Amino acid sequence: MNASHQPPETFALTTPLYYVNDVPHIGSAYTTIAADAIARFKRLQGLSVLFITGTDEHGQKIQRTAEANQLAPQEHCDRVVARFAELWNLLEIQYDRFSRTTADNHKRIVKEFFMRVWERGDIYLAQQQGWYCVACEEFKEKRELTETGNCQIHTNQKAEWRDEQNYFFKLSNYQQQLEDLYRDRPSFIQPESRRNEVLKFVRQGLQDFSISRIDLDWGFPVPTDPQHTIYVWFDALLGYVTALLEPDAEPTLENALSQGWPINLHLIGKDILRFHAVYWPAMLLSAGISPPEKVFGHGFLTKDGRKMGKTLGNTVDPFELVKRYGSDAVRYYFLKEIELGQDGDYNEVRFVNILNADLADSFGNLLNRTLGMAKKYCRGQVPERSGSEISENCILKSLGLGLGERVSQAYDSLAFRQACEEIFILIRGCNKYIDEQAPWSLYKQKKQAEVEEILYSVLESVRLSAYLLAPIVPNLSNAVYQQLGFGIDFNNKNLVNSRELFQNHSQWGILPPGQALGQSRPIFPQLELPASS
């Protein structure tokens, strides 16, 4: 079995390779925002990050969609991929590799992997009968269909009866190895609710699954039998491996695996959990490759408490959402308001209210009023105090001293909501502290030392909050840091990727005394609902 090739200071993560039957939706955006926030945080920590996203472009669904639009399949894929790239740019997604399953180097990887599994004796030809959902690209058991014969996931999609010869992968051979994997590595599947779903499914007994189709042109031919086309999942999952290849490297499994395997984290929607947590590790074990470290299945999104769908006419267009409110607003709402792993809801009124309350009012007004006082009372400079000189009785110091560690633990657990809540305890504490201490009154009483201690404590707390929020709202954090007199750009990977910088800036008390402060400007605009809302 291939040993781990990763040096300890690297972190590799993936989104799913999104299916290009249609333009990206809000669910795709949600997964990718979360993955980007993890990647950004790991870079802040000084790790070498490899963030992989991309597209799954083969299969019958793609072929039919292209035909319906009178396009060649490749032309259809290219058009949709361009829309993914456009949305990721709008959302400030800093991916390192974009993997496309139609790429030539991917074809070579799939062929080599198939032959490894073939030579292991884990692939055979047999007759397949059953109900097939084209949207899922998967055969369904009767219990997985509605009373009307529709797929339970794609409820407007009637399952089709199939009776054909397919090549099968001997998943049943890996029952015990998978159970051992889940037992020995309890964190392999997260969160716990998803792990329990997989354990229940596997304990029912694993069935071999088909990995080829006979009536499909759009895909790679089976190396040992070109009349068959490799089934989408056996092809698509290997896109994670292909993405590891250096651009000029020979496309071999060994070259790919040497550049960052095993993947530390696959972040996916719960609807494709079975493929990533059961089929994928079994395929890898068959090929003599170590499984990834963790598979995290997040929940679904609803709108106004209802399932979203084109037929219901209640989808959320992520392009329009970002263009209307900005990338920071979208990133903050979906990571702060929805606990990753649970289902979550989008409601536009709540969206606007939360963004205004947290980022415009609590945080933005805090910085604005404090910079105003620093300009008036301290000549527009950081007060001549240092963090070590601030009294241990200062509530902001006591809140701030352990904040970096608490927020780091939350990020490492993918608990973005908890990270935001921890940070906003400090931000709300700052507003309360100013109101209670009333530095304007102390200034009139000529208590300059007390004024400076108050303003230093607040400015440093604002700085720390902005630093720890940077993986979620990088543009807002940039604005805060610039106004505090720093030259750090949180959208520049090279500027933030430093272990020493993280060890320094994630701690409370590092704001340099006497540093010139910038011009105060709103860091987040007040949002307004569209007139029709």
Side-chain angles (χ1 to χ4, degrees), residues 379-415:
R379 305 181 306 282
Q381 296 178 340
V382 175
E384 291 292 343
R385 289 284 183 277
S386 67
S388 60
E389 293 173 335
I390 301 299
S391 167
E392 295 296 325
N393 294 326
C394 174
I395 183 64
L396 300 187
K397 185 172 184 176
S398 63
L399 285 172
L401 282 177
L403 184 63
E405 185 177 342
R406 294 194 299 276
V407 171
S408 293
Q409 290 174 352
Y411 275 122
D412 286 337
S413 302
L414 312 188

Side-chain angles (χ1 to χ4, degrees), residues 36-83:
D36 183 68
I38 298 163
R40 283 174 178 267
F41 179 71
K42 295 297 181 182
R43 289 192 199 103
L44 275 189
Q45 289 182 307
L47 274 67
S48 176
V49 173
L50 186 66
F51 173 19
I52 295 165
T53 187
T55 44
D56 169 11
E57 302 179 27
H58 287 141
Q60 191 166 57
K61 192 175 181 182
I62 302 297
Q63 185 171 302
R64 288 185 181 180
T65 302
E67 288 169 356
N69 292 311
Q70 298 182 316
L71 295 172
Q74 188 66 64
E75 185 181 1
H76 164 82
C77 292
D78 290 346
R79 289 187 180 189
V80 176
V81 166
R83 294 289 278 164

Side-chain angles (χ1 to χ4, degrees), residues 105-296:
N105 61 359
H106 181 64
K107 183 176 183 179
R108 298 267 298 274
I109 292 291
V110 171
K111 181 178 179 180
E112 184 182 350
F113 186 90
F114 182 96
M115 292 310 300
R116 275 203 195 185
V117 178
W118 174 268
E119 289 161 8
R120 181 74 175 262
D122 282 338
I123 296 173
Y124 64 94
L125 187 65
Q127 196 73 17
Q128 171 90 328
Q129 278 189 335
W131 295 102
Y132 186 76
C133 174
V134 174
C136 290
E137 298 281 8
E138 182 185 16
F139 279 92
K140 298 287 183 178
E141 296 181 30
K142 194 73 174 174
R143 59 189 171 87
E144 296 178 290
L145 302 176
T146 65
E147 291 182 2
T148 56
N150 290 28
C151 171
Q152 289 183 3
I153 297 173
H154 303 94
T155 51
N156 61 342
Q157 182 92 38
K158 234 179 178 33
E160 302 176 4
W161 179 256
R162 298 285 177 88
D163 185 354
E164 60 189 33
Q165 276 202 331
N166 295 153
Y167 282 94
F168 283 74
F169 171 68
K170 292 182 180 178
L171 182 64
S172 56
N173 278 5
Y174 293 89
Q175 174 92 29
Q176 190 59 53
Q177 287 188 58
L178 288 175
E179 289 184 359
D180 292 346
L181 171 68
Y182 306 147
R183 183 196 65 230
D184 297 341
R185 289 168 50 189
S187 64
F188 174 66
I189 304 166
Q190 293 290 316
E192 190 69 20
S193 57
R194 301 284 102 81
R195 171 179 155 80
N196 292 337
E197 289 172 20
V198 170
L199 290 177
K200 181 180 178 182
F201 173 77
V202 171
R203 285 167 181 161
Q204 290 174 346
L206 292 175
Q207 305 295 315
D208 299 345
F209 69 92
S210 62
I211 61 169
S212 76
R213 297 290 179 266
I214 197 71
D215 59 347
L216 178 64
D217 301 323
W218 185 236
F220 299 140
V222 170
T224 56
D225 186 350
Q227 289 188 334
H228 287 255
T229 298
I230 293 177
Y231 163 61
V232 63
W233 283 104
F234 204 81
D235 159 4
L237 290 162
L238 285 160
Y240 300 132
V241 175
T242 305
L244 299 173
L245 285 166
E246 294 293 336
D248 56 352
E250 180 73 14
T252 66
L253 278 174
E254 186 57 38
N255 283 345
L257 295 168
S258 70
Q259 297 302 311
W261 194 266
I263 297 292
N264 296 89
L265 172 66
H266 288 310
L267 183 63
I268 58 166
K270 64 182 180 180
D271 55 324
I272 53 174
L273 180 66
R274 186 185 306 173
F275 299 103
H276 286 78
V278 182
Y279 295 4
W280 181 222
M283 289 161 53
L284 290 166
L285 289 167
S286 175
I289 300 170
S290 302
E293 287 190 4
K294 183 180 292 186
V295 176
F296 192 104

